Amino acid sequence: MDVKPMTTKERLAIARQPMPAQDPGERVHNFKEVNLGYTPELAQKEAMRCIQCKDPVCIKGCPVNIKIDKFIKLIADGNFLGAAKKIKEDNILPAICGRVCPQEDQCEKVCVLTKKYTPVAIGNLERFVADYEREHGEIELPDVKPATGKKVAVIGSGPAGLSCANDLARLGHAVTVFEALHELGGVLMYGIPEFRLPKDIVKTEIESLKKLGVEFVTNTVVGRSVTIDELMQEEGFDAVFIGVGAGLPWFMGIPGENLLGVYSANEFLTRINLMQSYTFPENDTPVFDCKGKNVAVFGGGNTAMDAVRTAKRLGAEHAYIVYRRSEAEMPARAEEIHNAKEEGIEFLLLMNPVEFIGNEQQWLTGVKCLRMELGEPDDSGRRKPVPVKGSEFVLPVDMAVISIGNGSNPLIKQTTPDIEVSKRDTIVVDINTMATSKDAVYAGGDIVTGGATVILAMGAGRTAAQAIHEKLTGTAPHFDEW
Amino acid sequence: MYNIVSAIFLAENIKKIEIQAPRIAKKRKAGQFVMIRVSEHGERIPLTIAGSDPEKGTIAIIVQGMGKSTRELNMKAAGDTIHDIVGPLGTPSHIEKFGTTVVIGGGVGSAIAYPTAVALKEAGNHVITINGARTKDLVILEEEMKAVSDEAYITTDDGSYGFHGFVTRKLQDLLESGRTIDYVLAIGPVPMMKAVAEVTRPNGIHTVVSLNPVMVDGTGMCGGCRVTVDNEIRFACVDGPEFDAHKVDFRNLSDRNRMYLEEEKLSAEEFSHKCRIGLDQ
């Protein structure tokens, strides 16, 4: 197809193409994906909005530096498979990142159109080409360099581990990924729900890594089943990357947290996503029956939104977000808050739980809350919520999910004491190389930063892969050549 | 998939299963457990490792068929496979030379207590074992327990074998006879562990119990197995499963273990139904 060259003015006249989505009334009754994805026509139209800046700042806004201008140009030209190949030079998981990256805080935030217009929908376009490639059965594998004879162990098969494994495999190293659970994908499998990230997509993207030669070993808890020292000394690994993610969920430390019906977000979501308990008894793992019940989720992050929207889909009569600050301070993506509201999630803001209340059988029946008001800014720069005197009341709920973040799993620290950790038990690294205090051992993702995003973890995995390659071969990799 | 090397009944409904799992066999220590998923649609259940053979690369578990998953597991024979097994998990038993130790196992709890009895003996302790069961036919590991014990007692609730009465009565007798006891390990049903804790509390004897809350991942990620110890939340899968018996909130543990009672019943009934259909064919 011959595309007429467009003027910048013409490009700017095109409005941002909205993402088609399942109707809210319908989607609250199923676990199918909310967003339906662009059609080729919508994608091409959206791609034409990109003015192809000489200095594409969007690339710098991307933690893995996808060549955004180039792949969008290929879409505009109708070369969708070429666009997919271009993205894969830098990102092995485009179908995942196109769905779960906070583009509004990264590439799209710095898009030059953002100031006067709306940014190019980079995330939607990334998702489109990845889906197009998968649905047309022509997933192309990136080039792999000749074998170096070096062995690298990657601990954890979440976003950090997968991206590190991808780069290392392409650089010619023999990579083995160790996963503690029975399924690969880490938080992509157990944490993010099907309606936001279909599990088949995760599986397909991991298949690509297998085809690149990456070996995966499930059911292996490094630190327990085998230690890092044993991997290096007895099993011949030349370097190790630790991408084990966040660990132990935090609880609030208020009375009644151990009542029946109180979950951590990790447990609730793991039961649903990994163990598929919403199909019980077809799958053996049960979960609290939310049908017709009142459910409260405590927290304001993406995980809280995932949990509350899941509860609604399981038939909750009322599904509340209880958050102690106001909506402006919520860490969740604007899109997720918007989707949640569309689905009938009730937001109880400026409200702080002080006690869970149960019946004689110890089942949760309600939560005592205090109303809050915003005071002076605190250390995080956000206005600090202060309780309103005498505002105590009881919110009747049958199930509660606590979604206030995670600490670090202490296992690596306990079993590899020569790796330096912070006071919060996160692993201390040199941020330029992700090298830990132990020789040839690197780390990245939530185990370093504390709870963060999929793409930041992937960026860290990538940085570590470069440093590992340099360490093992003495030469720097040239990703731009790919 | 993990291969089952042998599977034999030790008593009615209690089976010892040896599984090929070389990494676990090499690493496991007394008091640790594995998470097992019997089949593709199965749940993840924690089971304490009853023994291992690092040379052969096998571990042993002893399973009482209670709910669907344990009954499904107990139908397995040598040559069959288990879908997933991961471990060893949990903090190993704290072993040192305490002096005179009493290891109490109630029912299938004896299988869990046995490896720790072995470790205590190896550390030079005087080991007294109290192996309790409801009735004679349900006594397991009699010979094994005897072999590691300086004194071995068997108790049955109905008096059909050994001492007639609960394990706590036997423990009480030992204390009343003026024996100095430095350490007690009690593993079995929650009411039994709670009762043992009450027997030793007045004397301040260091008493350890192994807790069995519902778990999902077993690696510290979900917090489903949280227990209240010394008024604080602890995760049985990483902080335990062994805890100071005098600080455990047993009421909270048994309450939380009731959370899925209805679902467990439903699963078990459906499983029984399927088994019956299977038998009819």
Side-chain angles (χ1 to χ4, degrees), chain A residues 255-262 361-363, chain B residues 190 194 211-214 223-229 231-234 247-259:
Chain A
E257 257 178 329
N258 282 0
L259 286 167
L260 284 72
V262 182
Q361 288 76 45
Q362 301 298 300
W363 281 96
Chain B
V190 176
K194 186 172 190 290
L211 305 186
N212 59 337
V214 174
C225 68
R226 63 191 187 276
V227 290
T228 310
V229 181
N231 289 316
E232 274 181 33
I233 287 183
R234 305 293 296 276
K247 293 179 176 165
V248 170
D249 181 343
F250 288 103
R251 160 106 203 260
N252 187 233
L253 174 66
S254 39
D255 284 339
R256 286 184 59 80
N257 278 352
R258 280 191 292 109
M259 174 122 181

Side-chain angles (χ1 to χ4, degrees), chain A residues 156-201:
Chain A
S157 66
L162 292 179
S163 98
C164 187
N166 171 56
D167 280 353
L168 288 168
R170 289 178 60 193
L171 288 164
H173 305 295
V175 183
T176 305
V177 180
F178 295 95
E179 167 57 48
L181 292 172
H182 57 269
E183 288 268 21
L184 298 170
V187 72
L188 306 171
M189 288 307 281
Y190 74 73
I192 303 175
E194 179 79 15
F195 59 82
R196 212 150 68 76
L197 179 63
K199 302 305 151 212
D200 280 348
I201 288 174

